[in-house]
Amino acid sequence: MTQAQIITDEMVAEHGLSSDEYRILCEHLGRTPNLNELGICSVMWSEHCSYKSSRIHLSKFPTSGERVICGPGENAGVIDVGDGDVVIFKMESHNHPSFIEPYQGAATGVGGIMRDVFTMGARPIALLNALRFGEPDHPKTRSLVTGVVAGIGGYGNCVGVPTVGGEVNFDPGYNGNILVNAMCVGLTRTDHIFYSAAKGVGNSILYVGARTGRDGIHGATMASTEFDDDSEAKRPTVQVGDPFTEKRLIEACLELMATGNILAIQDMGAAGLTSSSIEMADKGGVGIEIDLDRVPQRETDMTPYEMMLSESQERMLIVLKPGTETQSRQIFTKWELDVALIGKTTDTGRLVLSHKGETVCDLPIAPLCDLAPKYDRPWIETPPAPVLEYGDLPDRDAVSVLSQLMSCPDMASKRWVWEQYDRHVMGDTLFASASGSDAAIVRLHDSEKGLAMTSDCTPRYVKADPFTGGKQVVAESWRNLIASGADPIAITDCLNFGNPENPQIMGQFVRAVEGMAEACTALEFPVVSGNVSLYNETNGVAIPPTPTVGGVGLIPDLAQRAGYFGACEGDSLYLLGPTAGWLGSSLYAREIEAMRDHAPPPVDLELERKNGHFVTEAIRAGLLHAVHDLSDGGLACAAADLAIASQIGISLETHDSLPNHGWFFGEDQARYLVCLPASRLEKLQKLADKADVLLTFVGEVGGKDITLGSARMNVTELTRKWEQWLLEYMESKHANGS
Amino acid sequence: MRTAVIVFPGSNCDRDAAHALTMVTGKQPAMIWHRATEMSTVDLIVLPGGFAYGDYLRPGAMAARSPILRAVRDHADKGGLVAGICNGFQVLTESKMLPGVLMRNAGLKFICKSVELKVARADTPFSNKYDEAASIQIPVAHHDGNYFAQADELERLEGQGQVVFRYCDNPNGSLNDIAGILNEAGNVLGMMPHPERAMGQNGDQGDGQLFFKSLLDAVG
Amino acid sequence: MKAIVHIALKPGVLDPQGQAITGALHSMGFDEVTDAQQGKVIELDLQGVDRVAAQERVEAMCSKLLANTVIEQFSVEIVD
Amino acid sequence: MKAIVHIALKPGVLDPQGQAITGALHSMGFDEVTDAQQGKVIELDLQGVDRVAAQERVEAMCSKLLANTVIEQFSVEIVD
Ligand SMILES: Nc1ncnc2c1ncn2[C@@H]1O[C@H](COP(=O)(O)OP(=O)(O)O)[C@@H](O)[C@H]1O
Ligand SMILES: [Mg+2]
């Protein structure tokens, strides 16, 4: 072993370990670590890798189901979509890096999540991204949007995976910490799933992909601490993505997978070589020996510490079947990628690293994983939010409210964003961002089956009431899949919160997870993968709690896909589900009355189920021209979406007992707007009676205007306003010098 | 019709092109790796879309220096058909098999959308199934599709009727709204829009099918 | 007056373009090239400022817009 | 040995990047900028060639790969 460096208290603190954690570590080791070992242990025990604050709560999620092949614990979740096909997907955050360097931060986020998916044997077939920025007037917002969107497009477009969906929101709560959550969905066959557990003793470990540089050293610890005004100093740790290498890495890995040479494979994500080697060894119950001199290096004089902690992108680690080394190497050489045999599996259960003839690290693997700290952090319940009585709100002209809501930052068209994403490469995209559907739809290649995908979160609900908000996030995801004609199967998630050491924040986390878990159970919509991003806080100000959900569903026959672009002259509009006129924490309350943090709409999961199943039945019976779930902005905004997507007029009637704001803009849950020709009404009503759901006639399709009661507005004009906001905002000159 | 698709490291519409060719010809194209120095005789070579070499340096620049390009050139010199789509168009201008260059889009951003094209020539092997002056809907997806040629070159191009497709609403700043051009001999075409993404399978009008059917017809 | 701004990646930052260029040159037989880095030059035409002010103003332009100081470094040269 | 290659658009070729830079600088209040052009610099590390050969070889690299002579012009400088 290298001579023992003296590890000082400062060094321990710099590595983000508490003195208790350090003491426990030394006990497990039976000695003090050297600096390399301290670095390795500290990243393994960082929040990012160990999930120390969240693990005990994540176990509340239901994670199994009829179609679940692999739940959380692997690089991504795996579900069965029939006929021997499986879908592998996950969502991940790249919040901190994207705030520091938006282009590269977002780009490497996309790259990282794709590796999690193709590591398991799937060819990535779709990308989504959920973006949350500060308020439009904040001096940094415009350049952050520009950089993040360019980075997502720059990476995904080059690799050639369509970016088919996502969300973009603006809120002052993200002024100091933006959120960039990327999701990747891949496809493979049941007998072509690869796992990360290293197997056997004496098997070769192959390093492939880009060379290792000094980038991102301590990225994992950085993602586990708050920002402060010194964050500028942490800047050089941001990594640069190379999508061209990623593209070759995908092709080369898939080619190697087809040979049957692979025993285990794992991407190098956060904490690079450290976490990939340790996790592979731990899962397989083996040890690992690495000769660091053989690691392909981009820079000279790299130390063991730097090599182990580097977060250089586009790298993978593979355990090979004995005797396949030469053939395996050739595949990577053909794709002009770096490749090296860097070590072997052993029976010692230890991670042993050598460098220039010396052993520079010799650690037992199990304690780094299984014995990592697990905290049941103190938390307090968010105080109940007051209920907003709609009687307290003034009456306003419904049409001008509608126009205001449809052109507000959260609702306005995101064309400026998604036109920069290649949505159609691979040739199987049916519905992407622009298509007027609640979920993106991609064909399972050469079949008549389709995958529906969506990403959702309504942070204003979660903030006001984490438990109800958590349920709502899952319910909305499920509803969006239903409204596209899919059978919802499972979700991935990305739990973005502030500092878990603050009991209020921890309370948001715990209750949101519990709400999500309850909804997942009730809707049979298990969690198969996910990610936690904590410490999204700047100078003590935390982001609104934002548990993003990525939902995936299957459309058994693409002829039965659904959307909200097909409304025809003379169609009738029906509202499915009861309306109480709930305005608390609604878009209306926030945008029109500047009122926040009232109790969000209650979520009745039994009603969700019943209404959703009815919609599926109606779609599959071929009864509907258009269907849309109700969410932000309620009935009127859903109708406006339909009118814009179909480019046709719609008139909605007023309600005889509810006031206009509650009726048109209330955000009661479990509701859908359905559109059909009069000739099919009888059939629909019969189905509704049988299913015991509430169907209410609300209006008609036709003409050129959108009409709410007696007020009206031209659909072309509304479309223009909806299209204009983001374009104008982004094109308006760099007024703030950013 | 025998066809081949060239695969560069970074090509990402190679499978899409192969799929479209298989749909129309009933036969799978040969997929040819860029390092190959020769290939068996085919009727049509497709240079697919994507980001060969990551579009680093200039789009198409490094791919144009790939070993296979010699075989592509030989094929073209003998009168064989070559279609470069998107990145393939960039490879063809970079290898000087077509005149001009494709510069960064005027708006400096990547653009992905369906655009309306005017068929300027319906008497070429690539467009004989379209009606003269027809308007067709084909998607574009590129960062560098802004066609530029020096004035004399452009004049020659127009004078000899080498422009096959023009944008109706120019998305990228291309001179004379140029979306696709032919070489002088009329057997090599480059175009930025992606006909293989408009095969009528995904709820689109299928206007790209006629592009491939034209080629099938031309080969006979 | 003219200002010439050179912008290059900071040392140690991954330069995929440079790597790809090296690879391409090798495959074309230019084996003498051991490494390549790609940077930018921006030439600015300036009016109504003196040399000293120009230097200062252009440096401000660099750190605010022209260079991405997270991964790039720049140098400014004033010529006339 | 090192070679520094400067690549710029030929005069008369429209430079959308340069225009965008000018526009952005103006909107930030840098009104003294009347025009901007963006070009590339490629630095090559060379081994086993002398100055004269280097100049010639790098010029060949430029015309064969590094510059697109339809719209770009280049200059080569050999240092140390
Ligand atoms: N919020 C969550 N919900 C469900 N599973 C989660 C969640 N967060 C993390 N996981 C699971 O924990 C494992 C480790 O996650 P992560 O460290 O993000 O993986 P990676 O190292 O591949 O990036 C994965 O299997 C992931 O799916
Ligand atoms: Mg992983």
Side-chain angles (χ1 to χ4, degrees):
Chain A
M1 284 285 284
T2 34
Q3 80 273 27
Q5 290 108 327
I6 305 296
I7 303 290
T8 63
D9 293 351
E10 288 76 52
M11 288 161 83
V12 171
E14 266 169 32
H15 281 81
L17 288 179
S18 70
S19 46
D20 268 349
E21 287 169 345
Y22 181 66
R23 187 180 46 74
I24 294 166
L25 177 67
C26 294
E27 275 168 25
H28 290 316
L29 297 184
R31 61 177 167 86
T32 55
N34 67 25
L35 183 61
N36 300 325
E37 292 167 337
L38 177 66
I40 288 168
C41 297
S42 75
V43 292
M44 288 311 295
W45 283 14
S46 71
E47 189 64 58
H48 193 84
C49 291
S50 72
Y51 290 86
K52 57 190 167 193
S53 303
S54 59
R55 256 198 297 175
I56 61 164
H57 301 290
L58 295 181
S59 63
K60 296 170 186 163
F61 285 144
T63 57
S64 55
E66 224 173 281
R67 288 187 178 273
V68 177
I69 294 180
C70 172
E74 274 291 333
N75 284 302
V78 185
I79 57 172
D80 187 347
V81 292
D83 308 310
D85 289 326
V86 301
V87 165
I88 301 188
F89 64 102
K90 184 169 182 230
M91 186 187 278
E92 196 159 72
S93 66
H94 233 212
N95 305 336
H96 296 75
S98 301
F99 188 72
I100 294 172
E101 208 313 271
Y103 185 99
Q104 296 298 344
T108 52
V110 173
I113 194 60
M114 277 198 272
R115 284 193 293 285
D116 273 336
V117 166
F118 74 75
T119 301
M120 296 198 70
R123 177 176 287 282
I125 59 167
L127 293 166
L128 293 92
N129 56 91
L131 310 178
R132 293 195 160 76
F133 299 102
E135 59 197 322
D137 288 338
H138 189 275
K140 281 196 156 163
T141 301
R142 189 180 286 103
S143 64
L144 287 168
V145 176
T146 305
V148 165
V149 170
I152 289 172
Y155 206 100
N157 298 347
C158 180
V159 172
V161 178
T163 300
V164 298
E167 29 174 5
V168 185
N169 291 133
F170 299 86
D171 188 282
Y174 305 102
N175 281 352
N177 297 77
I178 62 169
L179 301 185
V180 174
N181 295 173
M183 170 171 167
C184 178
V185 181
L187 176 66
T188 189
R189 305 282 301 166
T190 324
D191 57 2
H192 195 265
I193 306 170
F194 290 80
Y195 295 98
S196 59
K199 286 189 201 120
V201 168
N203 292 328
S204 299
I205 296 171
L206 193 70
Y207 169 118
V208 303
R211 277 177 254 167
T212 297
R214 289 196 174 87
D215 23 33
I217 292 172
H218 265 173
T221 11
M222 182 174 85
S224 309
T225 45
E226 284 176 48
F227 277 166
D228 53 34
D229 292 329
D230 295 337
S231 297
E232 301 273 313
K234 293 178 186 159
R235 281 186 153 189
T237 59
V238 171
Q239 317 101 10
V240 168
D242 179 1
F244 173 53
T245 295
E246 177 102 339
K247 166 69 177 168
R248 288 177 293 151
L249 198 55
I250 294 178
E251 299 301 336
C253 286
L254 291 176
E255 206 173 309
L256 179 62
M257 284 163 173
T259 62
N261 293 358
I262 296 181
L263 288 173
I265 176 166
Q266 162 79 32
D267 64 301
M268 294 192 219
L273 203 42
T274 291
S275 69
S276 54
S277 58
I278 290 177
E279 280 169 20
M280 287 179 94
D282 181 59
K283 282 184 187 151
V286 299
I288 273 190
E289 217 173 74
I290 294 175
D291 178 356
L292 291 173
D293 298 319
R294 297 207 202 157
V295 171
Q297 293 158 50
R298 197 174 81 226
E299 298 180 68
T300 47
D301 301 325
M302 289 194 65
T303 64
Y305 182 94
E306 289 170 332
M307 278 188 258
M308 289 309 288
L309 269 56
S310 161
E311 292 192 353
S312 291
Q313 302 289 299
E314 294 97 19
R315 302 178 300 161
M316 317 278 286
L317 215 52
I318 299 171
V319 180
L320 289 176
K321 283 191 188 147
T324 65
E325 289 82 356
T326 310
Q327 188 199 16
S328 305
R329 289 174 65 119
Q330 272 164 2
I331 291 173
F332 293 94
T333 312
K334 170 189 155 193
W335 286 95
E336 297 169 38
L337 291 161
D338 275 289
V339 54
L341 290 165
I342 61 166
K344 290 215 172 307
T345 54
T346 64
D347 60 1
T348 60
R350 300 182 77 83
L351 175 71
V352 179
L353 305 175
S354 64
H355 184 240
K356 297 199 191 316
E358 266 189 274
T359 299
V360 294
C361 160
D362 185 350
L363 288 171
I365 284 166
L368 295 181
C369 300
D370 319 345
L371 303 177
K374 233 195 261 188
Y375 295 128
D376 186 358
R377 298 205 185 269
W379 60 275
I380 53 177
E381 183 89 42
T382 304
V387 172
L388 180 64
E389 299 295 343
Y390 54 67
D392 299 348
L393 299 177
D395 202 19
R396 296 182 190 270
D397 174 52
V399 161
S400 50
V401 167
L402 177 66
S403 151
Q404 222 174 316
L405 291 184
M406 290 302 289
S407 57
C408 81
D410 281 356
M411 289 290 273
S413 163
K414 301 301 182 300
R415 177 183 297 277
W416 186 91
V417 173
W418 49 252
E419 270 194 356
Q420 297 185 57
Y421 300 151
D422 190 336
R423 306 181 300 284
H424 303 119
V425 62
M426 300 186 91
D428 286 318
T429 305
L430 287 124
F431 293 165
S433 310
S435 313
S437 161
D438 284 306
I441 298 179
V442 169
R443 179 190 306 276
L444 295 178
H445 193 67
D446 257 346
S447 80
E448 285 310 314
K449 295 195 298 184
L451 271 194
M453 295 154 281
T454 166
S455 91
D456 299 281
C457 185
T458 313
R460 59 177 194 275
Y461 294 170
V462 189
K463 179 156 181 264
D465 178 345
F467 182 71
T468 303
K471 284 202 288 186
Q472 193 276 342
V473 170
V474 174
E476 182 167 349
S477 172
W478 192 82
R479 215 183 296 143
N480 280 331
L481 296 174
I482 291 278
S484 71
D487 297 320
I489 298 182
I491 65 168
T492 180
D493 66 67
C494 199
L495 307 176
N496 310 274
F497 288 79
N499 183 345
E501 294 159 49
N502 172 340
Q504 270 142 10
I505 302 286
M506 198 60 209
Q508 293 177 338
F509 182 85
V510 173
R511 293 296 283 155
V513 165
E514 288 171 357
M516 290 170 74
E518 186 167 308
C520 288
T521 304
L523 300 171
E524 293 173 84
F525 199 29
V527 179
V528 296
S529 62
N531 172 256
V532 178
S533 172
L534 301 174
Y535 296 96
N536 292 287
E537 219 169 290
T538 297
N539 295 331
V541 182
I543 57 159
T546 313
T548 313
V549 159
V552 174
L554 178 70
I555 302 181
D557 177 2
L558 279 170
Q560 294 174 333
R561 66 189 188 266
Y564 52 83
F565 52 87
C568 301
E569 184 81 34
D571 282 354
S572 307
L573 285 172
Y574 278 78
L575 176 64
L576 172 62
T579 303
W582 196 279
L583 286 171
S585 277
S586 65
L587 194 69
Y588 181 95
R590 191 185 81 182
E591 293 292 320
I592 307 296
E593 306 291 354
M595 296 174 95
R596 290 167 177 262
D597 302 333
H598 288 91
V603 176
D604 176 342
L605 295 164
E606 227 3 84
L607 188 66
E608 283 288 354
R609 251 182 100 90
K610 198 165 69 167
N611 289 354
H613 288 153
F614 166 75
V615 169
T616 305
E617 217 179 329
I619 291 172
R620 301 214 171 139
L623 297 179
L624 309 179
H625 275 166
V627 50
H628 193 10
D629 83 305
L630 265 60
S631 55
D632 285 355
L635 174 62
C637 286
D641 285 342
L642 216 119
I644 290 173
S646 311
Q647 281 301 297
I648 195 163
I650 280 184
S651 58
L652 291 183
E653 302 189 340
T654 53
H655 195 272
D656 33 3
S657 56
L658 288 172
N660 276 350
H661 43 36
W663 169 238
F664 286 129
F665 303 106
E667 294 181 6
D668 307 84
Q669 298 293 296
R671 296 185 305 162
Y672 300 79
L673 188 59
V674 298
C675 170
L676 70 170
S679 59
R680 300 182 193 154
L681 276 178
E682 212 185 297
K683 276 197 184 145
L684 187 75
Q685 191 59 56
K686 249 191 213 141
L687 277 186
D689 293 342
K690 205 176 84 202
D692 185 30
V693 298
L694 176 66
L695 209 51
T696 316
F697 175 78
V698 290
E700 274 161 355
V701 178
K704 294 187 160 65
D705 294 336
I706 182 141
T707 310
L708 303 179
S710 56
R712 64 181 58 218
M713 176 175 191
N714 187 273
V715 173
T716 314
E717 174 63 11
L718 183 66
T719 307
R720 199 190 56 76
K721 291 192 102 172
W722 173 74
E723 285 279 8
Q724 217 58 25
W725 180 80
L726 187 59
L727 289 179
E728 271 173 11
Y729 171 70
M730 293 310 298
E731 310 290 294
S732 65
K733 293 302 176 196
H734 307 248
N736 299 301
S738 50
Chain B
M1 179 164 70
R2 293 156 305 167
T3 62
V5 176
I6 310 294
V7 184
F8 300 101
S11 292
N12 63 30
C13 302
D14 46 342
R15 288 153 205 280
D16 311 12
H19 192 253
L21 288 169
T22 310
M23 229 177 114
V24 171
T25 67
K27 270 187 276 176
Q28 291 193 344
M31 305 302 279
I32 309 290
W33 184 237
H34 72 122
R35 288 231 162 265
T37 47
E38 51 193 87
M39 52 189 288
S40 57
T41 315
V42 295
D43 302 302
L44 166 72
I45 294 177
V46 174
L47 301 174
F51 286 71
Y53 291 95
D55 276 5
Y56 299 150
L57 190 62
R58 293 181 312 278
M62 295 188 233
R65 278 81 190 170
S66 288
I68 194 64
L69 255 286
R70 188 182 298 263
V72 174
R73 206 184 290 272
D74 286 348
H75 166 86
D77 287 347
K78 286 189 230 139
L81 296 170
V82 178
I85 299 169
C86 196
N87 199 216
F89 188 8
Q90 294 161 341
V91 174
L92 288 172
T93 57
E94 276 288 343
S95 64
K96 306 283 197 302
M97 290 174 70
L98 288 174
V101 293
L102 292 147
M103 299 178 58
R104 180 71 15 137
N105 293 342
L108 302 181
K109 292 198 295 287
F110 189 96
I111 305 171
C112 173
K113 66 174 179 188
S114 186
V115 298
E116 193 178 341
L117 298 180
K118 175 82 77 199
V119 179
R121 290 262 319 261
D123 57 348
T124 79
F126 307 89
S127 59
N128 58 57
K129 288 280 181 195
Y130 293 112
D131 293 334
E132 188 74 42
S135 278
I136 58 174
Q137 224 29 67
I138 307 271
V140 294
H142 59 247
H143 211 158
D144 302 83
N146 181 352
Y147 186 79
F148 176 88
Q150 300 286 359
D152 49 340
E153 190 77 71
L154 193 65
E155 208 171 303
R156 193 161 353 123
L157 205 61
E158 292 287 3
Q160 297 179 158
Q162 286 169 249
V163 178
V164 182
F165 299 109
R166 284 186 215 274
Y167 300 111
C168 297
D169 184 8
N170 193 335
N172 54 25
S174 290
L175 289 178
N176 295 12
D177 302 322
I178 287 174
I181 57 168
L182 278 179
N183 64 347
E184 277 185 40
N187 62 328
V188 175
L189 170 124
M191 65 191 292
M192 288 313 294
H194 287 273
E196 81 282 12
R197 295 189 186 184
M199 300 299 284
Q201 285 191 304
N202 299 329
D204 57 280
Q205 303 173 41
D207 288 350
Q209 279 200 29
L210 293 182
F211 175 82
F212 296 99
K213 286 188 175 152
S214 297
L215 287 157
L216 189 62
D217 196 67
V219 169
Chain C
M1 197 167 339
K2 249 191 194 322
I4 301 182
V5 177
H6 279 255
I7 299 168
L9 286 177
K10 287 183 178 169
V13 175
L14 175 71
D15 178 13
Q17 304 232 33
Q19 289 187 348
I21 292 170
T22 314
L25 287 172
H26 285 176
S27 67
M28 293 169 71
F30 292 110
D31 295 319
E32 64 269 45
V33 177
T34 56
D35 200 9
Q37 298 96 39
Q38 180 170 329
K40 283 186 263 194
V41 213
I42 299 171
E43 274 192 42
L44 301 170
D45 296 335
L46 303 172
Q47 209 162 46
V49 275
D50 62 23
R51 278 188 96 86
V52 179
Q55 177 80 30
E56 198 177 302
R57 295 280 287 176
V58 175
E59 282 180 10
M61 296 176 204
C62 285
S63 45
K64 287 198 179 144
L65 177 76
L66 303 178
N68 176 351
T69 51
V70 180
I71 51 175
E72 294 173 330
Q73 57 193 19
F74 61 86
S75 67
V76 174
E77 191 189 337
I78 307 290
V79 293
D80 24 29
Chain D
M1 198 170 335
K2 249 192 195 321
I4 301 181
V5 177
H6 279 256
I7 297 166
L9 285 179
K10 287 183 177 169
V13 178
L14 186 72
D15 174 13
Q17 256 143 351
Q19 287 184 335
I21 291 172
T22 316
L25 288 172
H26 284 175
S27 69
M28 293 167 71
F30 293 110
D31 295 320
E32 65 268 45
V33 177
T34 57
D35 200 9
Q37 295 94 40
Q38 180 170 325
K40 285 183 245 192
V41 210
I42 299 172
E43 274 192 43
L44 301 171
D45 295 335
L46 303 173
Q47 208 161 45
V49 274
D50 63 21
R51 276 189 99 82
V52 179
Q55 177 80 27
E56 198 178 301
R57 295 280 289 175
V58 175
E59 282 180 12
M61 294 176 205
C62 287
S63 46
K64 287 197 180 145
L65 175 71
L66 301 178
N68 181 335
T69 50
V70 176
I71 48 166
E72 293 172 331
Q73 56 194 19
F74 61 85
S75 66
V76 173
E77 191 188 337
I78 306 290
V79 294
D80 49 20

